[in-house]
Structure formats: C-alpha cells, structure tokens
Amino acid sequence: MGNEKRPRFRLPVRADKGPSRAPTNGLSGFCVCVCVDYLQSSGGGTSMEQRWGLLRRVQQWSPRPSQTIYRRVEGPQLEHLEEEDREEGAELPAQFCPMELKGPEHLGSCPGRSIPIPWAAAGRKAAPYLVLITLLIFTGAFLLGYVAFRGSCQACGDSVLVVDEDVNPEDSGRTTLYWSDLQAMFLRFLGEGRMEDTIRLTSLQERVAGSGRMATLVQDILDKLSRQKLDHVWTDTHYVGLQFPDPAHANTLHWVNADGSVQEQLPLEDPEVYCPYSATGNATGKLVYAHYGRSEDLQDLKAKGVELAGSLLLVRVGITSFAQKVAVAQDFGAQGVLIYPDPSDFSQDPHKPGLSSHQAVYGHVHLGTGDPYTPGFPSFNQTQFPPVESSGLPSIPAQPISADIADQLLRKLTGPVAPQEWKGHLSGSPYRLGPGPDLRLVVNNHRVSTPISNIFACIEGFAEPDHYVVIGAQRDAWGPGAAKSAVGTAILLELVRTFSSMVSNGFRPRRSLLFISWDGGDFGSVGATEWLEGYLSVLHLKAVVYVSLDNSVLGDGKFHAKTSPLLVSLIENILKQVDSPNHSGQTLYEQVALTHPSWDAEVIQPLPMDSSAYSFTAFAGVPAVEFSFMEDDRVYPFLHTKEDTYENLHKMLRGRLPAVVQAVAQLAGQLLIRLSHDHLLPLDFGRYGDVVLRHIGNLNEFSGDLKERGLTLQWVYSARGDYIRAAEKLRKEIYSSERNDERLMRMYNVRIMRVEFYFLSQYVSPADSPFRHIFLGQGDHTLGALVDHLRMLRTDGSGAASSGLTAGLGFQESRFRRQLALLTWTLQGAANALSGDVWNIDNNF
C-alpha cells in the first residue's frame, strides 16, 4: 500500500447552467459529485473494486452527452489509466479494452481474460451496501437542500440584505432573512422601548382636538419622528366643524310643573361633559326609563303600554353607542335623551377602582363618522361646498348625567316595575318604567370651525411601494384619555421606532408602511374619515389593510379582534405566536382555545361604527382590524371620563399594564410584517362566502312568506354560488403558480386587496350613503336593511327597525325588489371582479 499508485481518473459531470434544465440532470450531477467526494475521502480504506463498482452505477444515473474512455498506458515504474473524451456514438478504437470491474488485470489483458483475485467475491458482496450508503447520502443531501430552500421565509418574499450601516450593500452578498429572524429582530428592538412612560406622559397633557396644547403635542411627535430612519414625515390639516359647550350658557335640567312652569333645577356636576352634535334647544316631556335604549327595549316598553312619544328617555351607558341610542329614541318619537352610567355595568371587584357616582360619561351622538357638516366631502376648505348636514345628525337633544342625578330621577318614576334584567345597582332606586314628572332639558352647545392635524410617517416598500399597509391611533382625548388614546399613541410611536431600527439593520418591507396619528377621534373619527374622503380615489387602489390601535388596552382578561372577515385567518396565525400577558406558558390562541372550542366565535367581532377602522372598511372598502384586551366580567369604567388616568388604568390591570401593552405591540407588529413582506397577501378572500352563507340562513326564514307573494331569493343564492366558485378558482390558480414570478404575484395581490372594495355598492351615491358596504354599511342597500324589511312580513309594521326605518310603513314589495337587486348585483359584481379578466368570468347568472 505504501508505494502503490492508484489510477487517476476524471468523471464527465456537466453543471446545470440554467433554470430550464430538467431537475433530474441537476440531481444526477449532484449524485456524481457526492460520490466523487466519497471516493476521494475514503482513501485506502475502500478497495479498488468497490470504488469502480460505485462509479459504474453513478455513471448509469448520469446523463451521457459524451463518453470518457480509459486506456492503459505502460510506463517504466507504474501503470495508469489515460482518459480521452469522445462524442457519443463515435467508433471505438480497435485495441480498446472495456474496463472489467473484477479486479486488476495483467498488462495487455482484455475482456474474457480477466484473472479472478481472492478479494473479488468480497467486493461483490459489499456492492449492495455501497449502493445503499450512496442512496442514503444522496437522499440526506437532497432533503437538506429541500428544507433549506423551503425554509427560506416564504412569507417574507425576496431575500433581504442584512448589513451594518457602514457596509456598502453593493459589495455584500444577499442573504436570506427567515421568518424567525424577522421575529427575533422585531422583538429585540421592541423590547428596548418604554411605552409605559409614554402613556403616563401623554395622559398628563391636555389634547382636546383643535386646542393650543394639541399643537404643542403635534410638534413633539414630529420631533420624535424626525430622529427615526423614515422616508417621509408630514402633516395634513383639515378645517372641520366641531361642537363644544357654550361657556356662557351651560346646559341645564329642570323639573316642570303640570302647568309648564319651571321648578327645581337638577345640578349637572360638570358643565364640560356634553354630547357633541346633539341638537340644541329645549325639550320637555315625561320621564321614561328605557334600559339601554335599544330598539328591542323600546318595543318592550310599547308592549307594556308605556307611552314613548313626547317623552324624555333615561337610558344606561353600554351595549350600543350614544349615537345609536339617540337615533332609536328619535325614531320612536322621544323628545330627548339622558344617558347615565349604572354601577351594575362596571366591575364590582373591590380590588379594582370604580367610576365615581358623580362622574358623567362623554360621547358624541352623530350616527356616522367624520365632519357631519361636509358629509362625503373632505373638509380641506368647507367654504367650497354648499351648507349641508349629515343625515346621521339627531334632531332631538341629548345630555350625559351622573349616576347620582339618575338616582334622583328614578325615584320619581311611577308605573310598572322594570323587568329584573333591567334593574341596576342604584341602591335607592326601585327601577320603575314610568312615566314620571315632566322634565325640561336645555342644550346650548355651539359649532366651531376647528383646524385638526393628522401626522404621517412612511417607510417605503422595495417591491410594491404603491401599496400601503396602514396603522393608526387616535391622539386627541376629552380628559386624560389614558386608555382612550395615550396607549394607542405610545404603541404607535414605539412601532415607528422599532421598524426604523429594523430598517437601519437591513430590513426593507415589500410594501410601504404608513404610520398615522389621528386628530379629532373623540368627535367620531373625524381626522381619519376626512383623510379617507380627501384621497378616496387613490386609497381604494393602494391601501392594503388598516390596523387600529385605539381602545387596545381596556383590561387584561379577554381578547377581542373587531375585524373584516378577510383578516380572520391571519389573526389566528399571529395569535399562535404571541405569548399571553396573563397566562404564563400559553399563547394568546391557547388562552382562548382551551376554554372555547370555537375560538373565532369568542374572539372575532364586527367592526363598530365608533372606530376609525369602521370608516376604512365601510366607507373606503379597505379591510381593517381593531384589537382590544377587555375585562372578563365588565367593561372598563373610566372610558370617556375625566377619571381615565394612567393611575386608574394601572390599578385596573393590577400592575400588568406593561405586559398587556407589549402583547398588543407584538401582535400589531407581527401583523405588519406579514402584511408588508409576504410575497402573496395573506388575506382569506374565501371567507366572505361563509359570511354570505350565514346571512342567507337569516333570509331563508322568510322564504315561505315570500313564496306566498310570488317572490324568491334565488338571485342571492346564485350570486353567492358564483362568488364561491370564483374564490375557489383563484385559490387554485395561486396554488399552481410560480411564487417567484413578480408580475404574476402583483396581479394576484391586486385582485385580493380589492375584495373588500368589491362589497361597496356601486349603485348608491357616496354623498347620500357614505357607508356603502353591503354587510357593514348603513342604508337600504345593506343586507341588514333587507332582513329588517323582511321581518315586517310577520308584524303589523308598527315598530321601528334597527336600521332607522320610519315606523308604520310595513312590508312593500317594490322596495323589497329594489333592495334585493342592490344586494344581488353588488355580490355578483364581487364575484365577477374576483374572477379577473372578463374572458375568465364563467357563470350562468
């Protein structure tokens, strides 16, 4: 073995030069390379016979564009194999002796004269094992390569260059940033923030929309943003009509005698507490207790014989918004509304703080969003438009009062005793329904033209910069507003700082990230809606998703996501990756799923009108989500009061405020990463098929009544089927497509991101019906309005529907046909748009 010379050889391996070559060529070449490495590394530990046997099998697996011929050459001290390449099919030399793999031969020997040697049999026995080892090496290497390829963050799209700030990217190689790397980077930088300090400091600042101190806060935020690595920072100013109390003429409440003379005045403890956009003037009527002021509550009162027309209603805070309470009262003929917080609606835990009995709750009563004096139009300069008012403005006055004043009022009521579930925790009140003595409410609020400023910061995307992932938070507040807006502002600023640090370390999203601090939120998402109205023609083509940080921390017990159906699957995925702030060792998803088999029934809720996310979806057709941590048993008692302080919020969460805020930031941040960096937008466009099916279940209840009238809902069923087929067809197209085809992925993304917009009815005017969404909107074109109308088939038409229909009209066939056509053709249009090009539309509708 010491001086023995081994044959020298070369294997004809051709590298795979391009993507068009069949995969088997690349695999064969890979196999040969592995075998060569194995032979060279085996050295003297492997017999010559075993190595030649292995090579022969490898060559059988490899493509044969040419042949390599080995011939013996005699030398003075050694024998060696000399190689020469010949084209396939060339004639072999006459003296050529094919290689025998039975062991070394004497010089000059040819096939048939090979001399058997003692270890030849052993070599033949070892050959199967060598083949098995070779296959194992090949399989292991193939699987390793496959895992390495598939593991490269498919959710992240292209590979991301991670470099230090002093390194020139042009001189560096591109490396793949995995999803786990993105998560680790995000969490590392997020952990450096101090959001709790920002909440405390922000809640100490007065920041009523349009105030002088708000201008100071705007400048402070702009200074912070200017220190971050952002591509664009700017502000947008709108001149809006806001309503404020008249300091010279306070709102009042008096008892009135039967002859109409004013008697004792009931003191309103805080003259600054009011209902923006209430009708002004006087309202006098008998007092009636109406529970939460819902339509069903007032229907119950009518059934018990309580007269509502001309009365003043006393209703409790909760369940529905202030605006909905006033709108329903107006529909039933009430003259005015008084709204109070009942202690039973808040936590009775002695270890948690409660709302003071002398505190009233603030809330606007415009049934809509934005500036109600320029509905459907942006308030850049309201003098450009004729004077017009939103149909959502009430025509009756409304005023918040404290629990102490409500207690005095309830003691004066006569009439039937309220049902047990209507009774609250005002200890001295018997909770009768009324009527009671006459009351006079005087509201003197006045309108003021006020400039408000939204603040914007942007990180441009590298592949689809014209597609925006938007995240926003309300900045203004009536009172300290710790939970209302300070928490959202703190999380927003921390996310800006975190993503800026990630950009400094090489991260770049595929789509642009747009961070927005809204003004005028306490008046009905005025800043957000005015911006949408100003840029609607652009945003419905460019905005991908909106994430709201408002009201995100109102407790630490339950988690809710108020969202569009398109985001439900993505939210489920993110919840599985965020730790619960109050259940150690569990994710947020596990916290819910362990106690509720149907997690989405517990977590997912529809978007409420008093959220900025609602405007994005119902008005602009952009899918949106708003997260909230809530208390298990009761609502957060201090919202919209002067007791919404940092100290009360901290006590309410028993010291877990930093952990809950961190969980919200992690949830929102990882959602932003997925939405801004996935090759294919992670929006579940098939979900709306389930939504339609669920609503059709409500419609089916009336199919018999309609059949008796010669009417049918078949059009809706057909449109729903077309949407389901279009969604499934698109899903199959995406599944079979090449993910690295940028043009194709962009085409799919455009179709996916506009699904929400497809559900805005194109058959009603945005000026007349701003919320055109057929599932979430307001108006006769919505599915809810159709269901309310169908219910009149089984009633006498004497009740007011929840959508604000005029009482007493009853079922009207012509109106039903119009509603059905508006709903059906909007749904059919969504199906057609999801199908893509017109030549791909395949339906028999």
Side-chain angles (χ1 to χ4, degrees):
M1 294 290 291
N3 296 326
E4 180 182 353
K5 300 296 182 180
R6 300 183 181 89
R8 293 177 298 173
F9 54 88
R10 178 173 63 84
L11 293 177
V13 180
R14 292 196 349 175
D16 188 3
K17 296 295 184 180
S20 61
R21 185 172 300 278
T24 53
N25 292 348
L27 295 178
S28 300
F30 170 79
C31 181
V32 174
C33 293
V34 170
C35 295
V36 171
D37 291 340
Y38 170 74
L39 289 172
Q40 291 176 341
S41 63
S42 61
T46 306
S47 68
M48 180 76 71
E49 185 73 11
Q50 291 169 324
R51 279 177 270 166
W52 285 119
L54 177 59
L55 285 174
R56 185 172 185 179
R57 288 170 175 79
V58 169
Q59 286 184 308
Q60 291 174 354
W61 295 340
S62 303
R64 295 174 174 253
S66 62
Q67 292 182 342
T68 301
I69 302 172
Y70 300 90
R71 61 183 179 183
R72 299 188 180 278
V73 179
E74 295 183 348
Q77 296 180 346
L78 58 87
E79 63 180 17
H80 66 275
L81 294 174
E82 183 176 276
E83 59 187 54
E84 59 178 283
D85 287 348
R86 294 183 181 270
E87 292 298 323
E88 189 173 19
E91 183 178 353
L92 298 178
Q95 300 300 321
F96 171 73
C97 298
M99 290 293 297
E100 285 283 351
L101 300 179
K102 298 181 180 180
E105 304 172 357
H106 292 291
L107 297 177
S109 64
C110 286
R113 298 201 305 269
S114 59
I115 300 175
I117 57 175
W119 41 266
R124 286 192 296 271
K125 291 181 180 179
Y129 297 100
L130 285 175
V131 173
L132 180 61
I133 292 172
T134 303
L135 290 175
L136 288 175
I137 294 173
F138 166 75
T139 304
F142 175 79
L143 291 176
L144 181 62
Y146 175 79
V147 170
F149 173 75
R150 294 291 295 178
S152 56
C153 186
Q154 299 213 357
C156 305
D158 286 349
S159 58
V160 179
L161 186 63
V162 183
V163 295
D164 293 329
E165 292 186 59
D166 57 346
V167 177
N168 182 4
E170 299 298 329
D171 299 331
S172 304
R174 295 185 70 82
T175 59
T176 301
L177 192 62
Y178 295 85
W179 169 242
S180 58
D181 298 329
L182 280 172
Q183 283 182 308
M185 179 188 290
F186 170 75
L187 295 176
R188 182 171 72 252
F189 290 119
L190 182 69
E192 298 173 359
R194 297 296 301 274
M195 288 180 281
E196 190 176 14
D197 289 343
T198 305
I199 296 171
R200 180 177 56 82
L201 294 174
T202 304
S203 65
L204 294 175
Q205 296 179 282
E206 180 186 335
R207 54 191 193 284
V208 176
S211 66
R213 295 189 181 182
M214 172 62 87
T216 303
L217 179 59
V218 169
Q219 190 57 52
D220 290 344
I221 292 177
L222 288 173
D223 291 341
K224 292 180 180 178
L225 296 178
S226 65
R227 295 192 291 269
Q228 306 301 328
K229 193 175 182 62
L230 301 167
D231 294 307
H232 309 283
V233 176
W234 74 98
T235 61
D236 201 359
T237 301
H238 300 266
Y239 293 86
V240 298
L242 304 181
Q243 199 182 64
F244 296 97
D246 188 343
H249 302 88
N251 299 340
T252 59
L253 187 63
H254 291 83
W255 291 113
V256 178
N257 281 340
D259 60 3
S261 59
V262 176
Q263 298 297 310
E264 177 189 358
Q265 179 176 349
L266 293 165
L268 301 178
E269 292 94 340
D270 190 345
E272 295 181 353
V273 183
Y274 71 111
C275 288
Y277 304 125
S278 164
T280 57
N282 303 335
T284 302
K286 294 187 179 299
L287 185 66
V288 172
Y289 173 56
H291 202 209
Y292 290 108
R294 298 168 296 183
S295 179
E296 54 265 37
D297 295 331
L298 272 62
Q299 290 282 14
D300 289 345
L301 286 171
K302 290 192 67 174
K304 294 179 184 296
V306 178
E307 182 61 40
L308 298 176
S311 65
L312 251 64
L313 299 187
L314 177 64
V315 301
R316 288 158 58 167
V317 172
I319 308 296
T320 61
S321 69
F322 279 31
Q324 290 170 309
K325 297 176 191 297
V326 176
V328 171
Q330 179 177 306
D331 285 341
F332 279 83
Q335 291 293 302
V337 181
L338 300 172
I339 307 172
Y340 82 98
D342 196 289
S344 64
D345 294 317
F346 306 114
S347 175
Q348 302 303 305
D349 188 340
H351 302 290
K352 295 182 180 181
L355 183 67
S356 302
S357 61
H358 63 272
Q359 282 286 342
V361 180
Y362 166 101
H364 77 87
V365 292
H366 172 216
L367 190 62
T369 62
D371 183 355
Y373 304 109
T374 60
F377 299 98
S379 299
F380 290 114
N381 183 351
Q382 58 187 252
T383 59
Q384 297 178 7
F385 304 104
V388 62
E389 291 187 354
S390 166
S391 60
L393 282 176
S395 60
I396 61 175
Q399 175 67 30
I401 61 174
S402 68
D404 286 344
I405 298 299
D407 189 29
Q408 296 181 44
L409 297 177
L410 285 168
R411 294 184 187 189
K412 296 283 187 177
L413 292 180
T414 58
V417 175
Q420 186 61 38
E421 60 272 17
W422 285 34
K423 295 182 178 181
H425 288 172
L426 292 176
S427 56
S429 302
Y431 284 94
R432 292 185 178 274
L433 300 178
D438 284 352
L439 271 175
R440 173 171 294 176
L441 171 65
V442 180
V443 174
N444 295 314
N445 304 337
H446 66 293
R447 170 185 167 188
V448 178
S449 181
T450 307
I452 62 172
S453 297
N454 299 323
I455 306 173
F456 301 83
C458 177
I459 297 174
E460 280 195 37
F462 73 89
E464 300 176 38
D466 57 332
H467 289 165
Y468 317 143
V469 178
V470 187
I471 183 167
Q474 174 183 328
R475 184 178 68 255
D476 67 299
W478 182 90
K484 177 59 182 176
S485 64
V487 168
T489 298
I491 296 174
L492 180 72
L493 293 176
E494 179 62 17
L495 289 174
V496 171
R497 190 197 62 78
T498 300
F499 278 95
S500 174
S501 299
M502 293 173 66
V503 169
S504 297
N505 283 264
F507 169 76
R508 199 71 183 179
R510 294 182 58 83
R511 301 171 193 91
S512 296
L513 288 170
L514 193 56
F515 304 90
I516 310 178
S517 175
W518 303 115
D519 201 353
D522 263 358
F523 292 84
S525 304
V526 174
T529 304
E530 295 307 308
W531 184 68
L532 288 170
E533 289 175 343
Y535 302 99
L536 181 61
S537 59
V538 174
L539 291 174
H540 87 273
L541 299 173
K542 296 179 179 291
V544 177
V545 165
Y546 174 68
V547 179
S548 171
L549 298 174
D550 297 336
N551 304 314
S552 55
V553 179
L554 302 175
D556 64 349
K558 297 185 295 185
F559 174 80
H560 288 156
K562 303 163 187 176
T563 182
S564 159
L566 296 175
L567 289 163
V568 172
S569 297
L570 178 59
I571 291 170
E572 178 182 6
N573 182 274
I574 299 297
L575 288 178
K576 294 177 180 179
Q577 303 178 53
V578 177
D579 292 334
S580 169
N582 54 6
H583 290 75
S584 180
Q586 291 183 359
T587 63
L588 283 174
Y589 179 83
E590 291 169 340
Q591 174 183 336
V592 176
L594 289 177
T595 55
H596 299 87
S598 179
W599 78 273
D600 52 346
E602 175 67 16
V603 171
I604 303 301
Q605 297 182 349
L607 289 166
M609 184 180 286
D610 57 355
S611 165
S612 59
Y614 179 85
S615 297
F616 271 83
T617 300
F619 175 72
V622 177
V625 60
E626 180 178 286
F627 305 115
S628 292
F629 279 92
M630 315 285 290
E631 286 297 296
D632 281 322
D633 51 351
R634 295 290 187 271
V635 298
Y636 180 72
F638 309 113
L639 202 64
H640 296 294
T641 73
K642 289 189 175 180
E643 294 184 359
D644 183 15
T645 62
Y646 165 79
E647 290 76 18
N648 278 335
L649 180 61
H650 198 278
K651 291 176 184 176
M652 195 73 182
L653 272 69
R654 299 181 297 278
R656 286 202 290 267
L657 177 60
V660 179
V661 170
Q662 186 81 358
V664 174
Q666 290 183 20
L667 187 64
Q670 295 191 48
L671 196 69
L672 292 182
I673 293 174
R674 289 291 310 275
L675 289 167
S676 66
H677 214 62
D678 276 20
H679 245 80
L680 187 72
L681 283 173
L683 302 179
D684 189 357
F685 48 84
R687 278 269 179 177
Y688 263 116
D690 300 331
V691 172
V692 178
L693 182 62
R694 185 167 63 250
H695 285 295
I696 282 179
N698 297 329
L699 296 176
N700 284 337
E701 178 185 349
F702 305 99
S703 58
D705 302 270
L706 291 172
K707 189 175 182 180
E708 292 176 359
R709 295 171 176 259
L711 302 174
T712 178
L713 295 169
Q714 185 58 43
W715 284 7
V716 178
Y717 303 152
S718 298
R720 184 257 176 186
D722 286 340
Y723 183 86
I724 294 295
R725 286 187 290 273
E728 185 60 26
K729 182 178 179 181
L730 178 57
R731 196 186 307 277
K732 290 179 179 178
E733 287 181 19
I734 293 173
Y735 181 79
S736 61
S737 64
E738 176 54 60
R739 294 295 180 95
N740 292 325
D741 188 331
E742 291 287 344
R743 185 195 64 81
L744 191 61
M745 288 298 104
R746 181 179 176 87
M747 181 185 71
Y748 287 143
N749 284 335
V750 167
R751 288 163 66 182
I752 292 171
M753 67 182 281
R754 294 180 186 172
V755 167
E756 199 78 66
F757 180 77
Y758 300 153
F759 290 108
L760 299 186
S761 177
Q762 307 300 309
Y763 308 102
V764 294
S765 166
D768 298 331
S769 301
F771 306 115
R772 294 177 293 149
H773 202 288
I774 60 174
F775 300 118
L776 291 173
Q778 301 285 322
D780 228 26
H781 61 282
T782 63
L783 183 58
L786 176 61
V787 173
D788 284 340
H789 190 195
L790 288 174
R791 289 196 179 104
M792 293 183 180
L793 287 168
R794 300 180 181 179
T795 66
D796 59 1
S798 60
S802 60
S803 60
L805 302 175
T806 303
L809 292 180
F811 181 82
Q812 302 172 36
E813 181 176 327
S814 61
R815 179 166 167 259
F816 166 77
R817 289 181 179 277
R818 182 176 184 277
Q819 284 181 304
L820 187 64
L822 291 175
L823 176 67
T824 302
W825 281 111
T826 302
L827 183 57
Q828 185 64 46
N832 293 343
L834 197 62
S835 298
D837 296 308
V838 291
W839 51 83
N840 290 327
I841 298 175
D842 181 20
N843 61 66
N844 297 315
F845 183 76

